[in-house]
Every structure is written in C-alpha cells, then in structure tokens.
C-alpha cells in the first residue's frame, strides 16, 4: 500500500504536472492548444528532502521523484496532455516501465559480472543515440536537452531510459539472434499466406497494443485504451504514443505494422478494419490477452490479376495416341512426381528419365493459360505439383513455383526473414522479462 505521506507528495507532484505546457519536440499545434492551463513551462521540482519510496525492486529503490520525472518524460515524448482522468494511467505506466528497467539492468549487471564482459551501453553510446534522435527532430542534442529541461524533465531521466532499452535489446539480440534459424519452410509458409491474402483487401495500419497481464487486467487495459484514444484525438501523435505505451514489437517503429491482410491479426481486429476508412482511429478492440487501438492509414482492394510462375514435366503424345500409350506415360509421370522435391531441382531430376522433357514456363496470368493448366494453377499452392494433365500435345506435370497479384509489391526473402526473426526475438524478450519479474521481489508503496 502507498503511504499517506507518499500520496501527499504524489498529489503535489501531479498538480505540478498538470501545470506543464507541452511544447517543443515537434508536437502538433493542436496538442499545444489543448493544454488545460497556460502555466510557466517549468514546474516546481519535488523537494528531495520530502521524497518517498514509490517502489523497491530487489535492493533498488524507485523514489517518488524518479516516478514524477518518468511521468513527465512520458507526456513530453508521447504528446499526451495531463488531465485528472489520465494521470493515474500515466503514473501506472511510468511505474511499470521503471520497474521493468530496474529488473533488466539488474540482470545485465549480473551477466556482466559473471561473464566478465560489457553489455550496458556506455555514456558515449547513449550520447550518440541522443544525437541521432535530435537529428531526426531537426534539432541539435543541446537544443533537445534544453527542450526537455524547459518542461521539467532532467536529462538523466531520459538517458536512463535510453540506456536500459538499448542495452536490453542489444543483449537479447546478441544472445539469441545468432541461435535463431529461420527455415525455408517458415519463409515459404509466409509467402504462401501472402499469396493467398493478395486477392483480398489490404490494410496499411499502425497499432497500439495494451497487454492486459502487464497493466493489471482487461478492465484497466480498456480504460487505458480509451484515455490514449482521447489524447490522440486531441493531437497526441500516434507514433509517439505507440513508442511509449504499446506492448507490441512494432512499438519501436511507432506502431507501424505495414500492410496486412485478413487473418494476420486477431478476428476482432479484422472485423474492425472492415468498418474503418483511411485516416480513422478505431475504438478499443478487446482481444484474448489485451486491447488494440488501430489507426488505418490506407486501404487497397485485392488485385484482380493473379500471376503464376510455372514449370512443367511432359511426355509428348499425339492427340489420337492409343490408351495403352497414354496409360504408360501417366504411370511414368506418377512415379516421377514424388522424386521432385522443389522447383529448383525439377529439371535436373526429370532430365534423368528417358522420354521426359522439362522446362520453365515462366510467369503468366492465370487467365491466359490453357483451361487444363488454369485449374491446376488456381488450386495448387506454391511448391505443389499437379497430377498428370492431358492436352493435345501430351501428358504434363505442372509445378507451381510462385504466385502473386499484379501490382502488389511482395517482400523479398531477406525482408521476410528479418521480419520473422524480429518477431521471435520480441517474443523471447517478453518471456525473459516476464520470468525476471516473477522471480524478483517487487514492493510498491
């Protein structure tokens, strides 16, 4: 339980936060105009002598001053305006992030000591990241620091957040990244899903996901989502809010999930996307383990022209070939089919069999194919081979080596691999941190 003295200090600090005017860092004019009070931009700091303990993480203390500083940083970097309604949410998010960072840094220090190595970002590396962020905002590092200070945020508060995040991500990537193996089957499965979805509507979305288990339950998650939506409607930039509040791996990219198709997200999200128009923000979307907020940036109809990349194995037969000759050719192809393991080895494998020819038919629109080939091209998935198909020229096995929709820019193999690797690393990081929290002694007051 939080002590009465702690509550008094937090209430006083919250009042000073309400007096802050959110300016700088490229926040929209609308967000600035929505400020509830035009008080001086620098709020009175909490008296260090009256600080209380907000939480204890193992042997580390999080003070009420640390908590208030993090709340201010959350508001400045997300563009949120402080109100009586959202202050509890800001406080909870600030405390959760501070607890997570203390748990992470304790683990990194332990690993450094055990392995006699350096993992935690140095002062120089943190400063370089600040300079990069400043350049992204068309500012110098000094201007950015002054902007934070003008809003009551100490630079050490921001540096601590940057150091913890960069160090943790580097540790997870370094420890597990080299061990991850993205197999051909995973890449092909991704390509197959992309191909199957290409004829359906595509949505370019940004997302915020609030993890119910992290915030204390679905009711809290839904209420938090409503507060964030209100703030974004009043001008808080979606990417900035996503970076600070989203539990999705896309948070690092400002919530940008790119182009998605039906089935890539929970059914509740798919249903909401069907109702949204480009430029619209969704209402909170409850799912099994949390709540989504979706911003639909663009929408496109599924491409109508399907392209297919085919290879074939054939036995030449005249149109009027006797049935025993046709049956013999069919048996030959049926015995050959199981030996074809991929499009890449098709021609070499078929070349070892007398009376069989193989070739690359290239890419064509399915509607331009012969009727017998159209059926196979439509029904087969990438990597599959048809049963023998009879035409006037002979008997054929058709291998589907690729499918796509005209006009759709399919991701490259490297892009698919990087995306799958990033998803797996994010899942590993989440589980690792969850286990650390569960084994830590955490007391909030």
């Amino acid at each position: 339980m939080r002590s009465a003295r702690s509550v008094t200090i937090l209430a006083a600090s919250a009042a000073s936060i309400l007096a802050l005017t959110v300016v700088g860092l490229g926040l929209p004019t609308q967000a600035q105009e929505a400020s509830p009070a035009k008080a001086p931009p620098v709020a009175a700091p909490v008296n260090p002598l009256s600080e209380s303990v907000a939480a204890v993480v193992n042997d580390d203390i999080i003070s009420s001053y640390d908590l208030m500083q993090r709340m201010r940083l959350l508001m400045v970097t997300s563009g949120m305006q402080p109100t009586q309604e959202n202050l509890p949410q800001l406080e909870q998010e600030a405390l959760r992030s501070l607890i997570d960072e203390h748990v992470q840094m304790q683990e990194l220090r332990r690993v450094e000591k055990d392995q006699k190595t350096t993992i935690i970002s140095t002062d120089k590396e943190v400063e370089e990241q600040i300079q990069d962020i400043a350049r992204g905002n068309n500012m110098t590092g000094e201007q950015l620091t002054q902007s934070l200070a003008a809003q009551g945020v100490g630079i050490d508060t921001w540096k601590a957040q940057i150091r913890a995040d960069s160090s943790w991500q580097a540790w997870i990537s370094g420890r597990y990244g080299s061990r991850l193996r993205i197999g051909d089957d995973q890449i092909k499965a991704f390509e197959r899903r992309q191909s199957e979805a290409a004829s359906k509507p595509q949505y370019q979305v940004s997302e915020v996901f609030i993890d119910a288990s992290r915030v204390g339950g679905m009711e809290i998650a839904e209420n938090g989502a409503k507060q964030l939506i209100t703030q974004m409607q009043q001008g808080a930039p979606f990417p900035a809010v996503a970076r600070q509040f989203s539990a999705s791996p896309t948070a690092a990219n400002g919530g940008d999930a790119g182009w998605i198709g039906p089935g890539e997200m929970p059914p509740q999200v798919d249903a909401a996307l069907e109702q949204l128009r480009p430029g619209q923000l969704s209402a909170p979307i409850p799912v099994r383990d949390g709540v989504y907020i979706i911003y639909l940036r663009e929408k496109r109809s599924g491409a109508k022209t399907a392209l297919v990349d085919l290879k074939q194995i054939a036995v030449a037969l005249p149109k009027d070939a006797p049935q025993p000759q046709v049956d013999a050719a069919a048996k030959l192809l049926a015995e050959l089919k199981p030996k074809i393991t991929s499009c890449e080895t098709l021609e070499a494998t078929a070349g070892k069999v007398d009376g069989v020819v193989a070739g690359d038919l290239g890419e064509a629109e399915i509607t331009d194919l012969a009727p017998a080939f159209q059926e196979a091209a439509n029904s087969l998935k990438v990597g599959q081979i048809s049963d023998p198909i009879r035409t006037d020229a002979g008997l054929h096995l058709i291998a589907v080596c690729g499918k796509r929709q005209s006009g759709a820019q399919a991701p490259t193999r490297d892009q698919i691999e990087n995306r799958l690797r990033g998803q797996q690393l994010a899942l590993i990081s989440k589980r690792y941190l969850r286990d650390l929290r569960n084994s830590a002694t955490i007391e909030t007051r």
Side-chain angles (χ1 to χ4, degrees):
M1 292 290 293
R2 186 168 289 142
S3 67
R5 179 166 174 263
S6 175
V7 170
T8 301
I9 293 169
L10 287 175
S13 299
S16 71
I17 286 177
L18 280 169
L20 285 173
T21 301
V22 180
V23 295
L25 287 181
L27 298 181
T29 303
Q30 181 183 358
Q32 297 177 30
E33 292 175 349
S35 178
K38 294 186 177 181
V42 181
V46 178
N47 183 350
L49 295 178
S50 64
E51 283 184 42
S52 68
V53 175
V56 179
V57 183
N58 293 323
D59 295 329
D60 287 356
I61 292 175
I62 299 174
S63 71
S64 56
Y65 175 76
D66 297 330
L67 182 55
M68 288 304 106
Q69 280 285 296
R70 180 54 62 91
M71 289 174 68
R72 289 175 178 173
L73 180 63
L74 277 176
M75 286 185 292
V76 171
T77 54
S78 68
M80 289 187 67
Q81 299 297 302
T83 66
Q84 293 289 355
E85 290 74 25
N86 67 22
L87 275 177
Q89 179 190 13
L90 285 165
E91 181 184 345
Q92 292 166 6
E93 182 62 31
L95 187 57
R96 279 191 296 267
S97 64
L98 284 169
I99 290 173
D100 286 351
E101 288 171 20
H102 277 268
V103 170
Q104 290 170 336
M105 294 298 285
Q106 288 169 2
E107 174 68 1
L108 296 180
R109 292 189 190 100
R110 182 193 68 77
V111 174
E112 282 189 334
K113 183 178 180 180
D114 290 348
Q115 299 184 3
K116 296 179 173 58
T117 186
T118 300
I119 302 172
I120 298 173
S121 299
T122 64
D123 290 344
K124 181 180 179 182
E125 289 169 337
V126 171
E127 188 61 39
E128 288 173 350
Q129 291 184 67
I130 290 176
Q131 296 296 332
D132 288 342
I133 295 171
R135 281 192 290 271
N137 285 275
N138 298 317
M139 303 169 74
T140 65
E142 184 178 358
Q143 289 173 329
L144 187 53
T145 300
Q146 291 173 350
S147 178
L148 288 172
Q151 297 169 88
V153 180
I155 188 63
D156 289 342
T157 296
W158 193 33
K159 285 184 176 180
Q161 185 188 52
I162 293 173
R163 192 188 310 275
D165 183 64
S166 61
S167 302
W168 181 256
Q169 296 304 326
W171 161 241
I172 293 295
S173 179
R175 180 176 179 180
Y176 297 101
S178 60
R179 304 181 191 180
L180 290 178
R181 293 291 180 268
I182 308 300
D184 284 344
D185 56 336
Q186 292 172 281
I187 294 175
K188 289 179 179 178
F190 185 94
E191 291 175 330
R192 184 164 56 252
R193 291 194 300 271
Q194 290 280 304
S195 175
E196 291 169 353
S199 60
K200 302 174 182 177
Q202 303 287 305
Y203 306 94
Q204 188 180 34
V205 305
S206 293
E207 63 179 356
V208 169
F209 177 66
I210 302 177
D211 189 332
S213 64
R214 181 172 181 264
V215 301
M218 283 296 293
E219 184 177 354
I220 296 175
E222 290 190 54
N223 288 336
K226 291 176 183 177
Q227 291 290 336
L228 294 180
I229 289 171
T230 297
Q231 290 295 316
M232 288 187 281
Q233 289 172 338
Q234 293 176 354
F238 193 104
V241 172
R243 288 189 185 96
Q244 290 293 356
F245 292 91
S246 179
S248 169
T250 60
N253 298 323
D256 183 3
W259 286 96
I260 64 170
E264 292 188 51
M265 298 190 77
Q268 299 92 326
V269 176
D270 284 347
L273 283 170
E274 291 178 0
Q275 305 301 318
L276 291 176
R277 296 191 302 273
Q280 283 190 322
L281 193 65
S282 76
I285 307 171
V287 296
R288 182 175 58 86
D289 52 355
V291 179
Y292 277 96
I293 303 170
I294 297 295
Y295 175 58
L296 179 58
R297 291 147 54 196
E298 191 57 77
K299 179 179 179 179
R300 64 190 179 199
S301 301
K304 297 181 180 179
T305 304
L307 301 176
V308 63
D309 185 9
L310 300 177
K311 288 187 177 182
Q312 75 161 337
I313 301 169
V315 176
L317 292 172
K319 182 178 180 180
D320 57 352
Q323 191 60 42
Q325 188 177 354
V326 175
D327 292 342
K331 181 181 178 182
L332 179 64
L333 291 179
E335 292 174 346
L336 177 58
K337 178 180 174 179
K339 300 176 183 179
I340 308 299
T341 58
S342 69
C343 283
E344 289 74 17
T345 62
L346 180 146
E347 289 160 293
T349 303
K352 299 175 183 178
V353 180
D354 292 337
V356 171
V357 294
D360 189 344
L361 298 179
E363 186 177 66
E365 294 184 9
I366 291 181
T367 53
D368 289 342
L369 298 174
F373 286 6
Q374 280 189 32
E375 183 179 354
N378 278 316
S379 61
L380 295 175
K381 296 180 179 179
V382 175
Q384 290 185 327
I385 301 174
S386 71
D387 292 327
I389 298 172
R390 182 70 163 109
T391 70
D392 291 346
L395 272 177
H396 312 258
L397 294 179
I398 298 299
V400 176
C401 301
K403 279 184 177 181
R404 70 182 181 90
Q405 303 297 319
S406 62
Q409 185 63 44
T412 66
R413 182 184 178 88
D414 286 345
Q415 289 172 331
I416 294 172
E417 185 173 353
N418 288 336
R419 180 170 177 177
L420 294 175
R421 186 182 302 278
Q423 291 173 351
Q424 292 191 22
L425 284 174
L427 184 59
I428 290 170
S429 175
K430 182 177 180 179
R431 289 173 175 171
Y432 195 162
L433 180 56
R434 178 200 61 198
D435 292 343
L436 288 175
R437 280 199 304 261
N438 289 340
S439 61
T441 302
I442 301 171
E443 179 186 356
T444 58
R445 301 181 181 178

